[in-house]
Amino acid sequence: YYVDTVGRNQKVIAQYIREQLQEDMVCDQMTLKELVDPFTGNPYK
């Protein structure tokens, strides 16, 4: 979470949002579940 007065530190807020979005994308990629075995092509049970 980040709290600041509206209209101040706009660059810092924009940087914080960019970093959070990048962090969220990394976490999303780490939690993707493979539905098909990439080596055999068979579905996981």
Side-chain angles (χ1 to χ4, degrees), residues 6-45:
V6 174
R8 297 185 67 196
N9 299 323
Q10 291 180 4
K11 290 181 183 180
V12 174
I13 294 170
Q15 178 183 356
Y16 176 80
I17 291 170
R18 276 193 303 276
E19 289 173 0
Q20 289 300 306
L21 290 173
Q22 289 174 346
E23 199 174 300
D24 289 347
M25 285 188 276
V26 169
C27 288
D28 286 346
Q29 289 177 354
M30 289 174 37
T31 59
L32 291 177
K33 182 177 180 182
E34 296 269 346
L35 299 176
V36 176
D37 184 343
F39 299 106
T40 63
N42 296 329
Y44 283 123
K45 296 181 181 181

